[in-house]
Amino acid sequence: MPSTDAPTRPHRYAELTWPQVADRAGEAPVCVIQEATLEDHGYHLPIDTDVLIAETLAERAVLARSDRALLLPTVTHGYTPHHMDFPGSITIDWKRFVDYLLDIGKSLIHHGFRRILFVNGHGSNVPLVEMAARLLMLERRDVLAATFWYLSTPESAELLARTRDSDQPGGMAHACELETSLYLAIRPELVQMERAVREIPDWDSDTVWMDWNDGPLSLKGQWSGWTESGVIGDATVATAEKGRLWLERAVAETAEHIDELARRAPRPGRDHHDGAGDALQTREGTR
Ligand SMILES: [Zn+2]
């Protein structure tokens, strides 16, 4: 039956049938996998803050690029042992988390997908997601797998520096001006702004601090050693208006990363061992 509306293209991987999955794999789309964690975000934000932000970025970016991207289900739980002093946090062993992401990626590769973008909403997942992406590119030489920390491109950093109201460094680290503003822009009814606080540690250092991008010397330890409320930053200056501005930029940035992965050709390299090195690569790849 003729219709004036073009059929809506499914953008969620899980909602495809298996023949549709096979068809889409042939189009070489970017598979977008968002991961986060459940953990304390002050007295005022739900523990799902990182999940909500990562899901929103990923889904809006995929919708803007439905011709070249597919949205995988969210990996809700991540690595957060340093937050276990706060009720609600759920942590996954770091090696298990890397292996879990790796297994998802390997499954996609098995079905013919070759481009994977991890959209991560939780700072302490960063090195682990990067490791999973690296390992996937070593699985097969024709795979592209990448990740990024949102709102960290030069353009995004400039926007944050120009529009933030909190002190630097420290105003934008966790459950802060930034995360609270984003939550206010997405689900304001769940934010208890009357309970928002400003809590910034006395860094007493030129190299150790936390902000949207941390200081050059990485020193972490127990989260409760840095903050009483769970907040590191200034949640009291958060607004939905700033949240909408930053969310729009973060979605655009995520869509640009999809474009980058979609247009790139793999750089498979060349084995210089005349055959002997292939065996090594296979052993590593099937470990
Ligand atoms: Zn967070």
Side-chain angles (χ1 to χ4, degrees):
M1 190 165 64
S3 162
T4 52
D5 296 326
T8 308
R9 201 142 197 262
H11 69 284
R12 291 198 181 122
Y13 179 89
E15 294 177 4
L16 302 176
T17 63
W18 73 256
Q20 286 174 315
V21 170
D23 286 347
R24 294 296 284 273
E27 298 171 8
V30 177
C31 295
V32 174
I33 309 170
Q34 57 285 4
E35 48 281 316
T37 198
L38 294 182
E39 71 183 17
D40 58 285
H41 276 76
Y43 308 128
H44 68 296
L45 286 177
I47 57 174
D48 80 344
T49 298
D50 295 349
V51 182
L52 182 81
I53 292 171
E55 274 184 346
T56 304
L57 293 187
E59 181 145 37
R60 292 188 188 182
V62 168
L63 281 170
R65 296 291 190 277
S66 61
D67 60 330
R68 72 198 70 167
L70 268 177
L71 184 75
L72 273 285
T74 301
V75 177
T76 296
H77 301 301
Y79 171 79
T80 189
H82 51 305
H83 280 262
M84 292 301 280
D85 284 344
F86 293 90
S89 304
I90 291 180
T91 189
I92 304 297
D93 170 84
W94 69 270
K95 296 182 291 299
R96 197 169 297 125
F97 179 65
V98 173
D99 281 340
Y100 190 86
L101 296 180
L102 209 46
D103 283 349
I104 295 170
K106 286 185 194 175
S107 300
L108 290 169
I109 291 168
H110 178 79
H111 299 311
F113 295 97
R114 294 290 181 267
R115 295 165 200 272
I116 296 168
L117 179 64
F118 292 105
V119 177
N120 173 33
H122 172 50
S124 297
N125 284 347
V126 167
L128 307 178
V129 180
E130 282 181 0
M131 183 54 71
R134 280 177 175 231
L135 290 171
L136 286 172
M137 287 186 64
L138 297 176
E139 279 293 312
R140 282 186 58 112
R141 290 171 182 254
D142 59 350
V143 165
L144 293 165
T147 186
F148 63 101
W149 185 234
Y150 69 97
L151 289 174
S152 287
T153 63
E155 185 181 346
S156 301
E158 188 277 328
L159 175 70
L160 287 184
R162 183 160 44 81
T163 50
R164 68 187 284 172
D165 293 303
S166 58
D167 293 331
Q168 196 171 11
M172 279 191 177
H174 180 79
C176 52
E177 180 187 9
L178 176 51
E179 286 190 313
T180 306
S181 295
L182 292 176
Y183 214 116
L184 283 170
I186 302 166
R187 294 199 68 186
E189 70 279 11
L190 294 184
V191 183
Q192 302 177 41
M193 271 311 279
E194 69 283 1
R195 305 210 68 199
V197 300
R198 176 189 185 280
E199 186 171 355
I200 299 176
D202 178 10
W203 304 115
D204 189 29
S205 172
D206 292 332
T207 52
V208 177
W209 71 77
M210 292 180 236
D211 201 84
W212 203 240
N213 288 295
D214 292 346
L217 185 61
S218 177
L219 187 147
K220 305 296 187 197
Q222 292 291 344
W223 198 251
S224 61
W226 292 101
T227 164
E228 179 64 25
S229 63
V231 171
I232 294 184
D234 190 354
T236 65
V237 297
T239 67
E241 188 185 7
K242 281 184 281 189
R244 284 190 288 274
L245 177 70
W246 297 336
L247 186 61
E248 187 184 344
R249 176 64 214 138
V251 170
E253 177 191 271
T254 307
E256 288 161 15
H257 292 322
I258 290 173
D259 292 343
E260 179 66 29
L261 271 194
R263 74 165 188 87
R264 286 191 80 86
R267 300 172 68 94
R270 184 172 72 81
D271 182 8
H272 293 270
H273 288 86
D274 293 330
D278 275 335
L280 284 173
Q281 173 77 11
T282 302
R283 272 210 301 279
E284 177 66 13
T286 55
R287 163 181 51 85

